[in-house]
Amino acid sequence: MSDGRDTGPGRHVIFAPVGEGGRVDVVARRISEAIALGLITDGEQLPSESELAGALNVSTVTLREALSSLRQQGLLETKRGRGGGSFVRAPVDASVGRLRGTLRDYGVHELREIGDHHVAIAGTAARLAAERASSEHLDRLNALIDELAAAETVGDRRRADGRFHIEIAAAAQSTRLTRQEIDLQSEIGELLWLPFGEAVRHKDVVEQHRAILAAVTGGDGELARAHAEQHVEQGIARLIQFHLQLAKR
Amino acid sequence: MANVKDLDQRSAVARVNSVIDSVFAGVDVLCELAATVYERAAAEGELPSAADLASIRPAVFDHLTRGGPVVAGTGVIAAPGSLADQPRWLEWWRIPRGSTEPRPLSVDLDPQHIGGYEYTSTPWFDTPRRTGHRIVLGPYVDYAGTDEYILTLSCPIRRNEQFLGVAAADVRASDLEQVMLGVLDAVGPESLLVNATGRVIASNTPQLIVGSLLPAAHRTGDEVPVGLGWVPCEGLPWHLVTG
């Protein structure tokens, strides 16, 4: 990395070796998150393919596939020839900058507080929903998961994700839990679905929602609670990670 | 003694019916008035405005303040596109808990918002639209609207074959239970009113309280479970259940 803008500890994390067998989506995600968080900026040139593959400890084939998926998302542009390479095309969406600011301004403690609160609400709501949800609720929850699975934009994903949690609380027949869930969703929903930097992988969220719903449908309150708590904790842990990357910059 | 018990059950069912009938009577009035508003506009070759719909307001207030002890909110909800000046509209008033003054229900009508009032997909709007019949729903958590635990009684507004919206009323679950407790007690020490999905609407026992579901094996009135007496509430998808 030769442009001299790559010295912050936040950036260091981006180009650290990836685990999980160095899969394409892990690499693509790592880079797209860095763009979403503003750790690499618009117009910036990425290191050469071999350099980047070396830093991430993945094969050049894997890296190329990852870069190609980022190009498809419009996050990278490749110029050929002398002075060519992969250049970052950061999304111009104004909300990204605002969300980034919000995420930076939160303290780790505040994020953890939100997480603790959300774990309490979502966990209890899931446990009670397992006792009290009618088949209509289960149908609606199922439809919301399908909606989330099919959602292409972050906005649609955030809405379907939030609605699922709100409906779980409503299925628990509790106006108070539902109100709190709505407040929590409006507090962190946008951050969890940061454009190009989704805190939790879309397909993982879908799977986690399915696991929660399966436990609710089976009437297993404790399992539903465990799944819901884990799901929420995972999202918050990622937001704390994002925050630290932004704050260290 | 069986006769006395029968009598108590019948009077409990009669009480349920009279409470619900009186709420529906008020809803029917709103339904007719709203249909007239649409009719008048159609005669001019126009759609009515939200202000035209507001002409039913005296009847809304009347229903709200004199419709019996259980009406917490009532009014008319317009089908999208049925008004000239508003894409979605509620002429809806409620009496907040602890107050006697009717207040308009203010909701976020933007369906894009989390917690926004996507009323077109709610069962109390969608079911009368699809079936053309009135419906009693709940109890349920009305999180996008009133933020309360309620039942909704809803009736389609139609002109010719066109669906124009619904007239409806909300009943707080706790208010309905309050007016039912006396008759439930007369039926027996463990008496419940349950809806079609087996959810408790009102109960006089702490063992199975409002909002809880009957155990799965006991959820349907089609097959009378052993040890439970099920009495249908005529005209309603509800049962009186006695232990």
Side-chain angles (χ1 to χ4, degrees):
Chain A
M1 289 163 279
S2 52
D3 58 5
R5 286 187 285 172
D6 57 340
T7 50
R11 293 182 53 106
H12 181 72
V13 178
I14 317 161
F15 299 120
V18 298
E20 298 177 54
R23 294 201 317 268
V24 172
D25 60 334
V26 178
V27 175
R29 197 170 138 73
R30 178 82 70 80
I31 297 171
S32 111
E33 260 166 27
I35 296 171
L37 293 174
L39 302 176
I40 24 185
T41 50
D42 194 32
E44 195 172 324
Q45 184 175 5
L46 286 186
S48 73
E49 284 185 3
S50 58
E51 209 178 328
L52 202 48
L56 296 164
N57 193 27
V58 294
S59 71
T60 37
V61 177
T62 302
L63 181 77
R64 271 187 206 137
E65 275 185 54
L67 294 182
S68 142
S69 105
L70 291 167
R71 264 194 298 278
Q72 275 169 20
Q73 291 176 61
L75 290 175
L76 282 187
E77 196 177 63
T78 300
K79 290 177 191 159
R80 300 196 177 276
R82 199 180 144 80
S86 292
F87 294 85
V88 171
R89 285 284 162 261
V92 283
D93 193 341
S95 71
V96 177
R98 176 175 57 79
L99 292 171
R100 225 182 261 161
T102 307
L103 200 46
R104 190 174 40 233
D105 293 345
Y106 269 127
V108 170
H109 174 77
E110 280 170 291
L111 286 168
R112 200 216 70 208
E113 288 278 0
I114 295 170
D116 292 351
H117 186 192
H118 200 191
V119 163
I121 300 301
T124 304
R127 178 174 72 77
L128 294 175
E131 288 171 26
R132 300 176 187 162
S134 64
S135 57
E136 285 92 345
H137 290 119
L138 301 177
D139 290 347
R140 208 172 313 149
L141 287 163
N142 220 347
L144 282 168
I145 299 178
D146 290 343
E147 213 173 280
L148 176 62
E152 297 281 351
T153 70
V154 274
D156 288 347
R157 288 174 181 182
R158 175 174 62 83
R159 267 188 297 280
D161 177 26
R163 281 287 306 283
F164 176 83
H165 286 281
I166 293 164
E167 286 289 347
I168 286 271
Q173 309 294 306
S174 168
T175 53
R176 288 194 180 215
L177 292 179
T178 308
R179 175 48 51 200
Q180 301 244 306
E181 187 61 63
I182 290 173
D183 290 348
L184 285 159
Q185 288 300 330
S186 55
E187 206 167 5
I188 56 162
E190 277 190 314
L191 297 175
L192 287 169
W193 296 100
L194 188 68
F196 303 104
E198 297 176 356
V200 183
R201 262 195 297 204
H202 176 229
K203 66 173 189 187
D204 289 351
V205 178
V206 172
E207 267 170 37
Q208 288 163 6
H209 282 194
R210 289 212 196 280
I212 296 168
L213 181 56
V216 167
T217 306
D220 190 338
E222 284 312 320
L223 185 63
R225 174 206 279 280
H227 281 312
E229 287 181 352
Q230 221 177 5
H231 171 59
V232 170
E233 277 166 355
Q234 219 175 76
I236 286 291
R238 292 286 286 142
L239 289 184
I240 289 175
Q241 192 188 350
F242 281 2
H243 162 78
L244 288 173
Q245 288 183 9
L246 285 166
K248 279 183 200 161
R249 210 145 60 106
Chain B
M1 291 307 282
N3 284 340
V4 175
K5 185 161 187 180
D6 271 2
L7 209 62
D8 289 333
Q9 286 180 346
R10 255 180 283 159
S11 73
V13 168
R15 177 81 178 127
V16 175
N17 280 320
S18 89
V19 170
I20 296 304
D21 286 350
S22 76
V23 179
F24 263 131
V27 170
D28 287 343
V29 169
L30 299 184
C31 216
E32 280 166 31
L33 285 173
T36 313
V37 169
Y38 282 103
E39 193 67 50
R40 264 202 309 265
E44 310 268 313
E46 290 170 357
L47 292 176
S49 65
D52 293 335
L53 197 56
S55 68
I56 68 164
R57 209 168 279 173
V60 173
F61 287 177
D62 191 60
H63 187 209
L64 200 50
T65 51
R66 280 187 290 208
V70 298
V71 178
T74 191
V76 163
I77 294 104
S82 69
L83 293 179
D85 53 345
Q86 297 288 345
R88 288 155 185 258
W89 195 247
L90 279 71
E91 176 64 38
W92 190 271
W93 293 74
R94 58 195 290 260
I95 296 186
R97 198 176 274 290
S99 165
T100 51
E101 278 294 298
R103 292 273 177 77
L105 175 64
S106 67
V107 289
D108 183 353
L109 286 172
D110 188 338
Q112 292 301 304
H113 290 170
I114 286 209
Y117 211 22
E118 277 189 278
Y119 65 75
T120 55
S121 58
T122 62
W124 53 257
F125 188 87
D126 186 50
T127 308
R129 170 169 59 188
R130 280 188 292 106
T131 64
H133 296 300
R134 65 191 206 175
I135 186 173
V136 185
L137 261 154
Y140 68 97
V141 175
D142 180 30
Y143 60 79
T146 60
D147 230 359
E148 293 195 82
Y149 198 53
I150 56 166
L151 295 96
T152 298
L153 290 73
S154 172
C155 202
I157 303 166
R158 305 178 78 87
R159 191 185 151 266
N160 303 327
E161 282 310 296
Q162 202 191 352
F163 172 78
L164 300 162
V166 299
D170 286 343
V171 173
R172 289 187 185 99
S174 53
D175 289 346
L176 183 61
E177 185 169 67
Q178 195 62 40
V179 302
M180 288 306 302
L181 272 182
V183 284
L184 287 175
D185 267 345
V187 171
E190 291 185 334
S191 308
L192 316 166
L193 186 62
V194 301
N195 72 9
T197 51
R199 191 177 306 288
V200 176
I201 300 164
S203 151
N204 68 347
T205 167
Q207 308 305 322
L208 262 173
I209 60 170
V210 60
S212 51
L213 287 176
L214 291 190
H218 300 208
R219 271 182 214 171
T220 166
D222 299 342
E223 220 177 295
V224 178
V226 181
L228 286 178
W230 286 66
V231 183
C233 299
E234 207 185 319
L236 288 167
W238 295 356
H239 282 83
L240 182 70
V241 183
T242 58

